[in-house]
Amino acid sequence: MGKRRIQVDDLLRFAMPSDPQISPDGTRAVFGLHRLDLESNGFASVLWMVSLSGGDAKQFTAGAKRDHSPRWSPDGRWVAFLSNRSGKDQIWLIPADGGEARQITHLRDGVKDLSWAPDSRRLCFLSRSRPDEREEEQAKPDPVVVRRYTRMAYKFDGVGLFDEDRPPQIHTVDVVTGEVVRITDDPYPVQFPVWSVDGEEILFVGTREDRWDDTYVRDVYAMRPRDGRLRCLTRSRGPVQAPTPSPDGRWVAYAGHDDRSGHATNVRVWVVPFEGGESVDLTDAMDRSVGGYMGSDVRVAPMVLPIRWNPEGTHVYFVAGDHGNAHLYAVDVATRRVQRVTTRAVEAVSCFDVGPLGRVVYQAMDAVTPEEIWLHEATTDRPLTDFNGALTGELDLGEVEVFQYAGADDWPIDAWLYKPPDFVEGRKYPLILQIHGGPHSAYGNIFSHGTFLLAAAGYLVLRTNPRGSQGYGEAFARAVIEDWGGRDFQDLMRGVDAVIQRGYVDTARMGVTGGSYGGFMTNWVISHTDRFRAAVTEVCICNLLSFYGTSDIGYLFGERQLGGRPWTNPQRLWEFSPLKYVERVATPVLIIGNEEDHRCPIEQSEQWFIALRKLGRDAEFVRYPGEAHTMQSNGRPKPRIDRLRRLLAWWGRHLGGDAAAVERPLAQAEAAE
């Protein structure tokens, strides 16, 4: 039987391994394995274990709920993990050699961000609950819900509205007795708790600024649980993430930046003495930003990637983007020399862990290979798992061509062109331009089910990294600041022109689409050119005046990106708003909004839709209840499947692709093959 085209329902078949953790003796790794579950309309995940010396991975926990975030006890006897088996995420414990898992926290609001103490007896974690508020004592719903706020940071996308009086605080739990102790109790935000090497203090990221909600500046603190003594280790000028003590306890490494280029500033690796003092920037000369900026619809990874010391305490490991790849790097703390660790030229690394014996495990994908768990040892990299090989072995994905073209000012711009599986030179195909979000995210060598689906339906799909994208240095990222819709727009249009020049684009059948900043740019494109026959704008921005006060980050992000406040410089924000130019739009547009989106609130989609319909334009509005900003990559499966089918129908109606080839139920498609 020959290979087949990818199908809509194949989304449900991808396995997504995540968060690998090496055992203290360096012989094994435990990780989560996630799948979309149509029956529960959510994610299901269990833990798996794999030997680093070879052999097949084996399932470690079981059930239909979500087991995730495994962490080895320092003595190697236990694996703690988070699970929603009892409702909200709680800490569970299982013997490292297998057996029954037992629940050790029972807090009303659940827990997150667990870290073992060196004595293997205690864990620290974050929770909004107090120790005496147990999950079985859920408060009865109030028929009249009244919320009171005094802070601007009262909501966050994917979380919803906060209870201002119940910020997450650091707790500890004794894994033998189950006793929970609340360590911090203040109104300030607390993140990334981790134990010091001697077990005497807990490090975390926080602030003591009264107007903490009006700044990104954070510092690394240390709290002594036994008496509440608090120390501030850093004197930051920007955000701070993921503090990690060195093995000898002398230093703390962390990721952060000094805000010298605002939102475009490279996140870098720093170290500060454990007793506090002057921080040292280890990666400034690299001119790349630490972290993962390339999303995928078949990946599970945290927003903030880890940084790790090697066991000898000489190097700090981190992930950084470079020209559409995300590699694992290590920086020598003494010399500040940065070396790439992983050896493959094309890869997108996300979570990783560093263990003894020179071993590093990590999760990675590329443009045609979904995520798997890999091992780096000495100078070689090899996969430890093959969860998705059988599925991708069935598929004819077509060619993904990587090329470069001259953008505005002749800047070199990277691009990825997805071709239909039956692509024939000399034939004309409809083209869809996809625009990424951010603006400081990026496309690259990442597996995208949705993009391959469009190619399988007969479209050329173009992805580019215009100025503003990460992976090309701070100046490249900074070039979009206060210039949305300027040279970034020119970069995108020149990419379309570069593909047209190859002679296989039907220029009468071109579409444009994007989400978030990509939705803004889609709105901008169709209000500044009529060259596209149809558009899809998702979780978009159209009015930067109202975005300022309705987005969870608008009052900081919008101001710093575009340099204006609605009451001091309304004309500036209006000039950057596609809504100002809506009368120019002649392109049919499908608008997709998510009702629990606090990042680009659905009111932006509503304004765009009403304006277009008032003007008599061809516009359709689809709303997804209960979904947040990133639904298309990590939302519930039923809305995601529905969205894909609606996209195929829309593009088929306006550009003439073959939706029937990819939207059949999987069993029916296999029978036809």
Side-chain angles (χ1 to χ4, degrees), residues 464-481:
T464 82
N465 280 343
R467 66 197 61 210
S469 305
Q470 281 291 357
Y472 302 91
E474 196 166 286
F476 192 91
R478 188 173 58 240
V480 77
I481 301 292

Side-chain angles (χ1 to χ4, degrees), residues 481-620:
I481 301 292
E482 298 189 25
D483 192 36
W484 288 22
R487 286 181 173 83
D488 52 351
F489 171 63
Q490 296 175 40
D491 289 343
L492 292 165
M493 294 304 98
R494 290 194 179 199
V496 173
D497 292 338
V499 179
I500 290 173
Q501 290 171 7
R502 298 168 180 231
Y504 41 71
V505 175
D506 182 345
T507 56
R509 294 190 296 154
M510 297 197 304
V512 58
T513 185
S516 195
Y517 162 81
F520 166 89
M521 283 304 305
T522 298
N523 296 342
W524 188 271
V525 166
I526 63 175
S527 59
H528 287 77
T529 178
D530 293 337
R531 71 188 305 189
F532 295 97
R533 188 167 176 175
V536 178
T537 183
E538 301 193 62
V539 293
C540 71
I541 300 171
C542 74
N543 182 351
L544 288 160
L545 289 161
S546 62
F547 174 80
Y548 185 97
T550 57
S551 167
D552 61 348
I553 61 172
Y555 63 93
L556 285 173
F557 175 86
E559 183 173 316
R560 289 156 62 87
Q561 283 284 331
L562 299 166
R565 296 178 178 180
W567 56 90
T568 59
N569 202 348
Q571 191 58 37
R572 181 172 188 79
L573 293 178
W574 188 237
E575 288 291 331
F576 281 116
S577 298
L579 191 61
K580 176 182 177 180
Y581 313 101
V582 68
E583 290 181 302
R584 302 179 186 177
V585 175
T587 307
V589 56
L590 172 63
I591 304 162
I592 296 178
N594 301 332
E595 294 185 357
E596 292 301 315
D597 185 349
H598 293 292
R599 185 62 38 84
C600 294
I602 200 167
E603 62 90 17
Q604 293 285 312
S605 298
E606 291 171 336
Q607 290 189 64
W608 195 236
F609 173 67
I610 292 299
L612 290 169
R613 292 304 300 151
K614 188 71 172 178
L615 293 167
R617 306 298 194 261
D618 184 354
E620 180 179 319

